[in-house]
Amino acid sequence: MRGLAGLAALALLGGACATDAAASDSITLLHGITGPDEQAALQAAIDAFEETTGNTVQVEVSPDFDTVIITRVTGGNPPDVALYPQPGVLGRLVERGDVVSLQEAGVDVQDLEGSLIDGALDPATFQDEVYGTVVKVNVKSLLWYAADPLEEAGYDVPETWEDLREVTDGLAQDYADQRNAAPWCIGMESGGDTGWVATDWIENLVIRMHGPEVYDAWVAGELPFSSPEIRAAFEEAEAVWFGDGTVVGGTTGILLTPFLEAVDPMFDGPRCYFHIQAGFIAGLFPEDAEIGSDVAMTYLPAMADADERPVVFGGDTAAIHTENPVAGEFVQFLASPEGQEAWLAEEGAGAVSVREDIDTGIYPSEELVQQAEILNEAEVSRFDASDEMPGEVGVGAFWREVVAWLAGAQDLDRTLERIDAAWPDDQGGAQ
């Protein structure tokens, strides 16, 4: 086995190691990335690591990652490294002592702190100890809009959230006599995961309206959903979701429209002008859609009086479960410029770098370049709140109770109370 060295050293060692099979060693990697193109992009980074170090990576994939990782770890058969899509699960395993801190694994944490975007280590930091790092970023503060039709309708691209609300009201009046057209197209249907789309809306509103300190306290369970700050974010979303003629199909349409089809009305007429979604949605546009005229993307506007330009992002977090020294070497490589470029230059990656020093020229599309620029220009950035919260809340009550609210089964007060009640007593909830 080969101890962790700096990346410069890895590069120097690469030529000798690649031909020294006897000195190589291997690790196991478990992840939940199921798309073939995304898997191929990750494999490009793995190939680069193997070529550079002479070590090997045995890849295991599970579409039911959260269940499998808990079963494997608690059953005494952990992978050396795992990529967590929702680090709330990781927190539970850290509490059990089943995760090796990056420092113990030989990873240069200080180097990561100095080179990664703001918030990249937050999802895996517990009791001031870093147990993992985000290694791939999906920017979630994006506003997709019908570019030419919006201009032809007489509206400018909104530069603040207040502008966006004003244009929403204007378009709602313009479309008042049309049943199947509205300013917004929103779809939250996702089978057993219905409701997750709502969390991205609320997270973006919380950090825009109240800043990172309130956002962090909310994620940590120190500020309940029923607090005035978080309730205000829900009320802001309510104005759009429940507004008169603001969303195609109203709240019923929101709940019944599959999230993968939600943007379709933008290319039919258009029957809607605005859509909030991460960058992957561009892959679902019609083949003949003209980027920049039929549809364009911009930063989801901040509040008019905001001092900061916040961005919310999601992504995969790499963590280590064994004392295999190659595991630390692999995680350091994934977060390195070499690992990031090998991974994210691939067309199937569909994501941007967690590093601030990556040349945007590596990205295979203009949309990814624009997303990277939005991320790099952010004064503050934070990981997806619901993915950091305990699973009972972040992928449970948060989704479930918002769906019940949209369905008319309960009011907002009851919705927030029920989400707060789901926070586990042993997870530091505010209730």
Side-chain angles (χ1 to χ4, degrees):
M1 293 184 182
R2 194 170 291 114
L4 179 68
L7 292 172
L10 285 176
L12 291 173
L13 287 168
C17 294
T19 58
D20 186 3
S24 68
D25 216 322
S26 67
I27 58 168
T28 53
L29 168 67
L30 176 66
H31 66 74
I33 299 172
T34 56
D37 293 340
E38 288 183 278
Q39 288 182 3
L42 172 59
Q43 187 60 49
I46 293 170
D47 292 344
F49 172 74
E50 292 178 336
E51 182 178 355
T52 301
T53 66
N55 298 314
T56 59
V57 180
Q58 300 175 26
V59 180
E60 305 170 48
V61 184
S62 173
D64 191 15
F65 175 86
D66 286 354
T67 300
V68 171
I69 188 64
I70 291 173
T71 301
R72 290 278 301 273
V73 171
T74 59
N77 181 33
D80 293 305
V81 178
L83 299 184
Y84 286 80
Q86 291 157 338
V89 176
L90 178 62
R92 287 292 182 91
L93 298 177
V94 168
E95 285 185 354
R96 286 175 42 90
D98 291 324
V99 187
V100 179
S101 75
L102 293 190
Q103 186 171 15
E104 290 176 336
V107 176
D108 188 343
V109 175
Q110 190 171 11
D111 174 70
L112 296 181
E113 291 172 340
S115 57
L116 304 187
I117 62 170
D118 179 34
L121 300 178
D122 291 353
T125 298
F126 304 94
Q127 304 296 321
D128 297 324
E129 192 78 22
V130 180
Y131 288 89
T133 176
V134 174
V135 289
K136 186 184 74 169
V137 171
N138 298 310
V139 180
K140 297 199 166 191
S141 297
L142 305 178
L143 177 68
W144 300 90
Y145 62 98
D148 285 356
L150 185 67
E151 182 179 0
E152 292 164 2
Y155 297 97
D156 296 328
V157 179
E159 296 184 354
T160 67
W161 181 262
E162 290 82 352
D163 290 344
L164 183 55
R165 287 287 306 279
E166 186 175 339
V167 175
T168 296
D169 291 342
L171 286 168
Q173 292 180 7
D174 296 344
Y175 280 80
D177 60 346
Q178 299 186 40
R179 295 185 57 187
N180 294 321
W184 286 88
C185 37
I186 304 171
M188 297 188 184
E189 198 285 320
S190 184
D193 297 336
T194 297
W196 69 263
V197 171
T199 67
D200 287 353
W201 272 74
I202 300 301
E203 290 155 3
N204 271 300
L205 286 167
V206 169
I207 199 167
R208 277 163 175 71
M209 297 173 68
H210 306 297
E213 292 184 1
V214 166
Y215 188 93
D216 293 344
W218 175 49
V219 171
E222 299 165 3
L223 190 67
F225 279 73
S226 55
S227 67
E229 295 89 343
I230 308 306
R231 194 183 200 287
F234 274 81
E235 289 172 342
E236 195 66 32
E238 181 181 36
V240 176
W241 297 349
F242 290 82
D244 185 13
T246 54
V247 182
V248 176
T251 52
T252 300
I254 292 175
L255 290 176
L256 296 182
T257 303
F259 75 97
L260 294 175
E261 301 174 8
V263 76
D264 289 357
M266 192 174 289
F267 306 100
D268 177 20
R271 293 192 289 111
C272 75
Y273 286 80
F274 298 120
H275 183 66
I276 293 176
Q277 190 50 273
F280 73 83
I281 200 69
L284 300 173
F285 294 161
E287 291 184 0
D288 59 352
E290 293 288 339
I291 305 296
S293 55
D294 293 330
V295 60
M297 177 259 288
T298 189
Y299 171 69
L300 180 64
M303 298 299 170
D305 59 353
D307 295 327
E308 298 168 321
R309 181 183 167 93
V311 164
V312 175
F313 64 93
D316 293 305
T317 299
I320 299 168
H321 290 286
T322 72
E323 297 181 354
N324 185 337
V326 179
E329 193 173 349
F330 178 65
V331 170
Q332 181 102 46
F333 181 83
L334 285 182
S336 73
E338 294 85 350
Q340 292 283 286
E341 291 182 14
W343 188 350
L344 302 171
E346 295 292 315
E347 190 168 354
V352 298
S353 178
V354 72
R355 298 186 66 90
E356 296 178 334
D357 56 356
I358 295 296
D359 187 338
T360 57
I362 72 163
Y363 297 114
S365 72
E366 185 58 36
E367 291 76 40
L368 288 172
V369 171
Q370 192 175 355
Q371 290 172 45
E373 291 173 346
I374 287 172
L375 183 63
N376 293 339
E377 291 170 2
E379 280 98 1
V380 59
S381 54
R382 286 293 185 272
F383 195 82
D384 184 301
S386 60
D387 285 348
E388 283 195 72
M389 292 173 179
E392 294 89 337
V393 179
V395 298
F398 199 166
W399 298 356
R400 184 175 62 249
E401 302 305 333
V402 168
V403 169
W405 177 38
L406 285 165
Q410 59 195 25
D411 62 17
L412 178 56
D413 287 334
R414 182 62 172 160
T415 298
L416 301 178
E417 291 171 2
R418 290 178 65 90
I419 299 174
D420 283 330
W423 202 289
D425 293 337
D426 61 350
Q427 294 287 299
Q431 295 303 297

